[in-house]
Amino acid sequence: MDEAGCGGCQVISAEQRSSKHWELTGEGCEIAEQGSHEARVFSSIPDEGMPQGQLMKLAFGKVGFSKAMSNKWIRLDKGHEGGPRVFRTVENIEDSVRDKLLVVQKGQSSQLEEKEKSELKKRKLLSEVTVKSYWITKGSLFSTTITKQETELTPEMIASGSWKEKKFKPYNFEAMGVAPDCGHLHPLMKVRTQFRQIFLEMGFTEMPTNNFIESSFWNFDSLFQPQQHPARDQHDTFFLSDPAQAHEFPLDYLERVRKVHSEGGFGSQGYKYDWKIEEAQKNILRTHTTAVSARMLYKLAQKEKFTPVKYFSIDRVFRNETLDATHLAEFHQIEGVVADYGLTLGDLMGILHQFFTKLGITKLRFKPAYNPYTEPSMEVFSYHEGLKKWVEVGNSGVFRPEMLLPMGLPEGVTVIAWGLSLERPTMIKYGINNIRELVGHKVNLQMVYDSPVCRLDA
Amino acid sequence: MPTVSVKRDLLFHALGRTYSKKCYVFVYKCACSKHPFSNPVIQTSEKDIISREQGDTKAEGASDVILYKIDVPANRYDLLCLEGLVRGLQVFKEKMEAPRYRRVSPTSGEPQRLVITEETAAVRPHAVAAVLRNITFTQERYDSFIELQEKLHQNVCRKRTLVAIGTHDLDTISGPFTYTAKPPDDIRFTPLNQAQEYTATELMNLYKTDSHLRHYLHIIEDKPVYPVIYDSNGIVLSMPPIINGDHSKISLNTKNVFIECTATDLTKAKIVLDMMVTMFCEYCEEPFTKETLSGDFINRKVGISESTERIAQLLTKMCLRSEVMSDGEQIEVEIPPTRSDVIHACDIMEDAAMAYGFNNIIRTTPRTYTVANQLPLNKLTELLRQDLAAAGFTEALTFALCSQEDIADKLLKNISDTRACHIANPKTAEFQVARTTLLPGLLKTLAANRKMPLPLRLFEISDVVLKDETKDVGAKNNRRLCAVYYNKSPGFEVIHGLMDRVMQLLEVKPGRDEGYHIQAAQDSSFFPGRCAEIFAHGKSIGRLGVLHPDVISRFELTMPCSALDIDIEPFL
């Protein structure tokens, strides 16, 4: 039921009805009256036949001729003296086309089969007509006087009180509203804000990661990452040509790092290779924010008395890797670090459990992994309900003594840490498969405009 | 993480039993210890692999024997072949004792000798060698032997740069052997699988088109002398790290194998030789190293409380034979030569934790009490971002790396005036420099979104990188706020209004000295007469204005555009 007068005012109500019936076309009417073209051709031909040329001159000649031929009512003698001549081949004919049309004309189209009707429709003799009609009845607010409906409330109506007498045009609540004229935050940055919030809630202090360019020393050597490690390859790391080298290091610490790599010490055999300062001096775009963690832990170790710390950072890191749908040359690394006396592997797993619970992830598993600066090293997996499998969500580990002791941290202090990328959870959260649709200048701004608020635990 | 592929049936044969379909999860669980989930072990066949990589037609006729592909941690070279994997599994299941290796002198006469000459110092200074005696190869063992060699080459040997392995049939050559280096034209021999002799120079040309060997040529190509190993009769064994001689090649019938490892890193050479020998040997030259540690150390670090005996048992399962010492506290752990990854007590601790099972460790909460602090710069950034979005501007997120053209030519600037940091090894032009301004990223975002309804209002608050002599690395980040307005009219007043709003947010009032003001400035990126410099507290903090038409067209834009670019660090 539609409500007439649009919307809900119900002066009258109207029901739409539609019906279909068959009607003769102009040509159909002519045939009903005078017979089909082929019948008219037949009857025009006398017993002695008729020259084809003459037949074709008749109005119905062309169409009638071919139909009559295919009905085998007539024949054409091409070799006849004086030109091609047409003769009758049968005595009587039955003009079924006309008969059928007459049936329709009488309003008895239902007697014909659908196939016959569509055949006639194809010959443009019949057409199907749909008639729409409305069945009108009085509505609930039926009135015989007409009042003009107001579209909107105006200040004048409020002042005069005239709104009380007015009728207002109803709103169409099916339509969308007008989008507010406002700016939008980028979805990846919204997720970053949430991760920051989580760390702050857990009592972690933010590290100063605003130094994209780092020396190999802080990025690798201080982390006990040997100088021939594949990560230090041209294929994996962006090296700088200008400024190519770092020139200031805490020299006594640098010496302890050289020694632990090349000769061992602090309970370690070391890697036993020829450690070169030239390698350590090479400037790079940092490959992980752990370079900053190393600087912070070194700074912590220089304090007179050790105080426990919890640090975090979320910032860009750079890899000279092969790019694909999920890898870019730069991405954001999320990192958490805790330094205190007597921390255990169980503590690391416990704190990861708390951290991931805040992200709405409660099922965690840990898998052994290898990382040059943590021992043990564990990959963190979480069970993804949507994908129905365990997916890697981060990396974690306990910093090696060969990294911590040369810095000057007390022997009993353990440092646990974990890291993950910001992009990956964001892509999973927003259902984005190609990282280029999320990060960089090629993103579709509509995606930014349309992105919802970020609640990681929801 | 390297992947090892082994034939399933061979693995079962070596393990002495077959397993149900689920077994490969179990196999891995034992091999690299606890991992009862995901599927690091993939069941496949050669046929599958070829058909996936090269299409079904190429795969016809390939073997459909079932293979297991197993992920192995990058520092566990001892698990890179079937032999090592099986040994690890059997010991973990306590079906076999952790092996002990010992060196044996040949029954007749002296050990073989490899003499290293001084000339090698210029190109590849180290070499170590060993002999495997009375070995019986089958086709599978032989394949595994070759595969281990290849895996080691790709991993610990760093694509032969650090170490290159050569294996020879000892019965076709006679020691002592000489490792020396000679000018390329003085080296002449028949290389592996070739019918005629070549000089080293000719060989380097020959292999330039070899899909496998050409990747190694660069290691010695530009050196004045090439490394070469001769036997006492002057027969060339190999020209490391490129190719072996054909004369001494090993076959299924080889009984005694001479293994040489030449290297630029002696420690790695020893690791590699140990791996080759221990995986295929009855004989080995390396003595054990022993470590002592206390059970308490393991308990404290892992966060468990197991008896000393139990911990010794856990370690033994991981191929680290361990015994509780007489005081009942200390554990003596034997580190076999296969476990070159063990260099500190913490490495042993990890093995104990793995054998215990990471997921069996009770998760605890550290009692570390700390108060959280935000980095002031990031706090300010977060606050400003919210208010810029409220002011109608949408946040963009653009790359920190870009091309020289983006920060110079396209902005009508000279690259030498930019204080840009240059990348030495970019794979494409997109990564030539670190950005010195956020503007190109925003303009490229506009260009990619030209179909969106106008006006477009974008902002970004992020870091640029500038050279700075006063920093230890010679460069520093600088936090910038950049905004653009793109419409049919330039909208200088819009971007000016945004700047006024930012100052309001930062509690800086209009005014000459303590406040902020703008004054006309010259900047090649902007339309002449339409650019102003912004001063706050008497210092220049950035610019605003209508962009130069050439800048607009170089970024493939068609409409007028105004921009704001300021440093927010002075407001901390």
Side-chain angles (χ1 to χ4, degrees):
Chain A
M1 269 284 257
D2 255 13
E3 272 136 4
C6 79
C9 73
Q10 297 183 341
V11 175
I12 56 166
S13 67
E15 186 192 346
Q16 190 190 339
R17 296 177 177 185
S18 70
S19 62
K20 284 183 180 174
H21 67 94
W22 292 93
E23 228 170 49
L24 268 57
T25 61
E27 197 182 352
C29 287
E30 193 189 316
I31 289 173
E33 209 172 292
Q34 300 178 12
S36 65
H37 301 306
E38 55 270 31
R40 287 167 78 188
V41 162
F42 181 80
S43 55
S44 316
I45 298 171
D47 289 342
E48 66 274 20
M50 185 189 243
Q52 193 187 16
Q54 193 186 336
L55 178 67
M56 287 303 172
K57 278 179 196 147
L58 296 170
F60 45 81
K62 273 184 187 152
V63 184
F65 171 75
S66 56
K67 271 280 168 192
M69 283 292 281
S70 71
N71 287 351
K72 300 207 168 84
W73 291 347
I74 55 171
R75 67 180 169 86
L76 176 65
D77 183 0
K78 279 187 183 163
H80 199 276
E81 212 174 302
R85 203 172 175 90
V86 186
F87 295 94
R88 287 187 182 189
T89 52
V90 290
E91 289 296 310
N92 295 306
I93 57 159
E94 192 184 325
D95 190 356
S96 66
V97 172
R98 186 185 182 202
D99 296 345
K100 286 175 196 165
L101 290 175
L102 286 170
V103 169
V104 175
Q105 206 171 35
K106 281 183 209 152
Q108 295 162 342
S109 58
S110 55
Q111 288 180 7
L112 297 184
E113 282 176 30
E114 285 304 312
K115 205 174 137 193
E116 294 173 315
K117 282 186 279 197
S118 65
E119 171 67 22
L120 292 169
K121 190 182 168 190
K122 225 184 270 171
R123 284 183 69 175
K124 297 205 170 71
L125 305 178
L126 276 189
S127 66
E128 196 174 23
V129 180
T130 308
V131 178
K132 281 188 179 169
S133 56
Y134 289 91
W135 188 256
I136 309 287
T137 52
K138 286 180 185 175
S140 56
L141 298 175
F142 181 75
S143 159
T144 50
T145 55
I146 298 169
T147 40
K148 185 176 168 273
Q149 291 185 327
E150 297 292 338
T151 49
E152 291 297 358
L153 191 62
T154 64
E156 291 74 24
M157 291 175 196
I158 297 169
S160 65
S162 64
W163 60 268
K164 290 173 195 159
E165 277 77 47
K166 306 267 189 198
K167 290 255 187 282
F168 288 87
K169 227 177 148 186
Y171 280 164
N172 175 10
F173 293 112
E174 299 296 316
M176 297 289 279
V178 176
D181 192 12
C182 65
H184 307 266
L185 293 174
H186 192 280
L188 190 76
M189 295 294 101
K190 290 200 249 196
V191 180
R192 186 182 72 174
T193 302
Q194 289 311 305
F195 272 102
R196 242 180 129 247
Q197 185 66 30
I198 289 170
F199 277 114
L200 293 171
E201 284 167 7
M202 291 174 72
F204 283 67
T205 286
E206 196 168 21
M207 292 189 274
T209 45
N210 52 334
N211 58 326
F212 294 164
I213 293 179
E214 189 53 277
S215 61
S216 294
F217 178 75
W218 288 107
N219 196 86
F220 297 122
D221 295 287
S222 70
L223 297 173
F224 197 53
Q225 193 148 343
Q227 293 189 327
Q228 337 83 335
H229 192 274
R232 303 181 70 153
D233 229 56
Q234 297 274 327
H235 301 294
D236 287 37
T237 300
F238 287 115
F239 287 86
L240 290 204
S241 57
D242 181 25
Q245 286 192 334
H247 44 72
E248 250 182 75
F249 301 99
L251 287 178
D252 48 344
Y253 171 50
L254 181 111
E255 173 55 21
R256 292 195 294 271
V257 169
R258 182 198 67 76
K259 210 165 168 189
V260 78
H261 277 246
S262 53
E263 299 165 26
F266 307 101
S268 173
Q269 297 175 19
Y271 293 123
K272 295 175 186 155
Y273 72 98
D274 188 12
W275 188 87
K276 294 192 178 76
I277 184 151
E278 293 76 17
E279 276 301 317
Q281 277 185 306
K282 287 183 181 167
N283 271 339
I284 58 165
L285 281 159
R286 68 168 175 229
T287 61
H288 47 197
T289 50
T290 317
V292 177
S293 308
R295 282 178 182 266
M296 292 298 282
L297 289 169
Y298 172 73
K299 218 167 131 188
L300 179 70
Q302 307 319 300
K303 287 192 181 165
E304 208 155 292
K305 188 175 180 299
F306 173 82
T307 43
V309 294
K310 292 197 288 213
Y311 289 140
F312 83 95
S313 65
I314 309 169
D315 212 334
R316 292 181 199 239
V317 296
F318 304 85
R319 308 269 168 96
N320 195 11
E321 286 174 335
T322 315
L323 312 180
D324 61 32
T326 54
H327 292 87
L328 287 173
E330 53 187 278
F331 63 95
H332 289 76
Q333 185 188 341
I334 302 170
E335 183 168 353
V337 178
V338 184
D340 200 353
Y341 283 103
L343 295 174
T344 67
L345 201 54
D347 286 336
L348 172 58
M349 292 161 65
I351 208 161
L352 280 165
H353 182 76
Q354 290 179 331
F355 176 79
F356 280 99
T357 302
K358 280 185 174 281
L359 301 176
I361 294 169
T362 48
K363 284 189 195 166
L364 283 189
R365 289 298 186 95
F366 298 89
K367 177 191 150 180
Y370 169 66
N371 185 344
Y373 49 89
T374 53
E375 187 80 14
S377 310
M378 303 188 292
E379 280 175 2
V380 188
F381 283 72
S382 89
Y383 190 76
H384 193 282
E385 297 293 345
L387 302 172
K388 296 261 173 269
K389 64 174 186 185
W390 292 90
V391 294
E392 193 192 332
V393 290
N395 262 299
S396 66
V398 181
F399 283 138
R400 293 189 70 100
E402 292 99 322
M403 165 184 165
L404 302 178
L405 296 174
M407 289 177 170
L409 285 169
E411 191 121 5
V413 169
T414 304
V415 183
I416 56 183
W418 73 97
L420 56 152
S421 90
L422 177 63
E423 280 78 358
R424 195 170 145 81
T426 307
M427 287 169 75
I428 293 174
K429 172 131 193 94
Y430 289 99
I432 295 170
N433 294 321
N434 188 338
I435 196 162
R436 283 168 188 76
E437 289 167 19
L438 177 69
V439 188
H441 55 266
K442 287 191 179 143
V443 298
N444 182 353
L445 286 174
Q446 195 65 47
M447 181 278 291
V448 179
Y449 294 168
D450 294 346
S451 78
V453 294
C454 171
R455 284 172 296 176
L456 291 172
D457 52 353
Chain B
M1 207 175 259
T3 306
V4 184
S5 55
V6 292
K7 290 181 182 166
R8 182 193 64 179
D9 295 345
L10 275 182
L11 180 66
F12 288 170
H13 180 74
L15 288 170
R17 60 168 287 194
T18 57
Y19 291 89
S20 63
K21 206 178 167 193
K22 288 250 163 171
C23 93
Y24 50 85
V25 175
F26 161 80
V27 169
Y28 186 75
K29 186 168 146 185
C30 305
C32 315
S33 108
K34 303 297 176 182
H35 191 264
F37 53 87
S38 99
N39 56 343
V41 182
I42 298 163
Q43 190 171 326
T44 182
S45 70
E46 204 173 300
K47 197 169 180 173
D48 278 352
I49 296 168
I50 297 174
S51 96
R52 202 170 331 111
E53 287 169 358
Q54 301 170 25
D56 288 338
T57 45
K58 291 254 170 95
E60 269 183 43
S63 154
D64 51 7
V65 171
I66 295 170
L67 295 177
Y68 282 171
K69 302 195 77 147
I70 304 174
D71 280 350
V72 172
N75 60 342
R76 290 297 300 273
Y77 314 117
D78 57 318
L79 299 177
L80 283 174
C81 63
L82 175 76
E83 289 72 14
L85 268 176
V86 168
R87 199 169 298 166
L89 285 165
Q90 296 290 55
V91 174
F92 186 82
K93 292 299 291 173
E94 296 177 331
K95 289 194 172 157
M96 172 180 156
E97 290 199 355
R100 284 190 161 157
Y101 304 99
R102 62 208 161 83
R103 181 182 65 182
V104 175
S105 299
T107 43
S108 57
E110 289 288 294
Q112 291 292 349
R113 284 192 307 140
L114 176 68
V115 181
I116 305 171
T117 70
E118 272 171 24
E119 289 83 358
T120 59
V123 50
R124 206 172 175 83
H126 307 293
V128 288
V131 176
L132 285 174
R133 289 184 194 278
N134 290 325
I135 197 161
T136 309
F137 277 127
T138 62
Q139 186 64 48
E140 278 82 16
R141 284 180 195 173
Y142 182 83
D143 291 347
S144 184
F145 187 74
I146 300 297
E147 198 188 326
L148 173 68
Q149 197 175 328
E150 189 50 30
K151 293 273 182 215
L152 290 168
H153 270 150
Q154 294 310 317
N155 291 286
V156 59
C157 304
R158 304 298 315 288
K159 303 203 164 90
R160 302 194 189 176
T161 53
L162 295 185
V163 189
I165 310 162
T167 53
H168 310 275
D169 189 337
L170 182 65
D171 301 324
T172 64
I173 44 183
S174 60
F177 305 99
T178 310
Y179 175 46
T180 184
K182 284 188 167 184
D185 286 323
D186 297 353
I187 302 171
R188 197 177 166 79
F189 67 104
T190 308
L192 193 60
N193 301 330
Q194 293 286 343
Q196 64 173 95
E197 283 195 356
Y198 294 88
T199 67
T201 316
E202 287 164 354
L203 275 179
M204 295 300 266
N205 275 323
L206 180 69
Y207 291 138
K208 272 210 168 64
T209 52
D210 187 295
S211 64
H212 180 61
L213 293 175
R214 66 189 161 97
H215 302 294
Y216 307 116
L217 301 181
H218 71 94
I219 304 171
I220 56 167
E221 205 166 24
D222 54 354
K223 302 278 197 255
V225 288
Y226 288 178
V228 63
I229 300 176
Y230 292 100
D231 83 345
S232 59
N233 299 324
I235 290 170
V236 171
L237 272 65
S238 65
M239 183 176 84
I242 311 295
I243 191 79
N244 285 350
D246 195 63
H247 180 88
S248 59
K249 71 177 172 198
I250 61 166
S251 68
L252 283 180
N253 302 322
T254 299
K255 283 285 159 215
N256 300 302
V257 183
F258 178 70
I259 305 172
E260 37 89 2
C261 296
T262 56
T264 53
D265 180 316
L266 184 59
T267 312
K268 289 279 191 290
K270 286 180 181 169
I271 291 174
V272 170
L273 187 66
D274 283 347
M275 287 305 147
M276 290 298 290
V277 170
T278 51
M279 287 302 120
F280 287 90
C281 69
E282 287 103 359
Y283 317 116
C284 173
E285 60 180 333
E286 190 83 357
F288 284 91
T289 45
K290 283 188 181 178
E291 286 265 349
T292 9
L293 44 77
S294 70
D296 180 52
F297 167 80
I298 304 246
N299 279 329
R300 265 189 297 117
K301 291 288 177 188
V302 181
I304 51 176
S305 48
E306 296 293 314
S307 68
T308 312
E309 288 74 22
R310 171 78 182 127
I311 288 168
Q313 202 185 343
L314 288 174
L315 289 173
T316 305
K317 278 170 79 165
M318 300 299 286
C319 287
L320 300 171
R321 278 170 167 271
S322 301
E323 267 171 44
V324 180
M325 293 170 75
S326 52
D327 64 355
E329 295 284 315
Q330 298 292 95
I331 303 170
E332 192 179 60
V333 189
E334 285 180 4
I335 317 293
T338 47
R339 292 298 305 274
S340 57
D341 59 303
V342 177
I343 57 174
H344 191 279
C346 70
D347 298 303
I348 300 171
M349 179 263 285
E350 183 187 55
D351 273 44
M354 286 199 289
Y356 186 85
F358 284 169
N359 297 307
N360 298 328
I361 299 169
I362 308 256
R363 299 171 190 181
T364 48
T365 307
R367 270 169 275 164
T368 310
Y369 176 80
T370 51
V371 174
N373 284 304
Q374 302 187 45
L375 188 72
L377 182 60
N378 290 357
K379 185 177 183 173
L380 178 66
T381 304
E382 285 285 292
L383 292 170
L384 283 177
R385 285 175 53 242
Q386 299 283 341
D387 271 307
L388 283 177
F393 281 72
T394 291
E395 186 175 32
L397 176 65
T398 65
F399 297 126
L401 305 184
C402 59
S403 65
Q404 284 190 22
E405 200 188 15
D406 285 341
I407 57 164
D409 302 9
K410 284 170 149 186
L411 289 177
L412 310 177
K413 303 241 190 240
N414 198 326
I415 187 73
S416 56
D417 300 335
T418 57
R419 291 169 71 195
C421 297
H422 294 258
I423 294 167
N425 57 333
K427 280 180 188 153
T428 68
E430 286 170 275
F431 311 121
Q432 286 173 327
V433 289
R435 65 183 171 196
T436 53
T437 156
L438 302 177
L439 190 56
L442 290 186
L443 295 178
K444 287 196 276 185
T445 309
L446 287 178
N449 284 278
R450 279 178 306 191
K451 285 183 193 150
M452 297 294 288
L454 294 173
L456 286 171
R457 288 176 285 242
L458 296 180
F459 82 94
E460 184 169 13
I461 308 181
S462 189
D463 284 348
V464 301
V465 184
L466 301 169
K467 280 205 280 187
D468 183 345
E469 281 300 314
T470 65
K471 300 285 170 190
D472 60 346
V473 296
K476 67 161 185 194
N477 281 23
N478 180 216
R479 187 72 44 95
R480 294 282 185 85
L481 183 164
C482 189
V484 291
Y485 178 81
Y486 182 69
N487 201 359
K488 286 179 183 147
S489 64
F492 179 81
E493 68 288 355
V494 176
I495 217 77
H496 189 187
L498 180 72
M499 192 272 293
D500 290 332
R501 173 68 183 143
V502 170
M503 290 301 142
Q504 197 174 43
L505 292 167
L506 293 168
E507 291 186 275
V508 186
K509 296 204 162 44
R512 286 266 149 188
D513 297 319
E514 278 316 291
Y516 76 94
H517 71 277
I518 62 172
Q519 71 185 41
Q522 289 290 321
D523 187 313
S524 51
S525 305
F526 292 90
F527 200 34
R530 297 277 186 276
C531 170
E533 188 154 14
I534 307 160
F535 292 86
H537 305 308
K539 272 195 213 150
S540 169
I541 56 159
R543 288 188 180 172
L544 81 171
V546 178
L547 292 180
H548 197 285
D550 286 344
V551 172
I552 290 170
S553 33
R554 285 179 194 200
F555 280 96
E556 293 165 9
L557 295 169
T558 51
M559 303 275 170
C561 180
S562 52
L564 165 70
D565 181 5
I566 58 172
D567 176 1
I568 64 163
E569 289 180 22
F571 302 101
L572 284 175

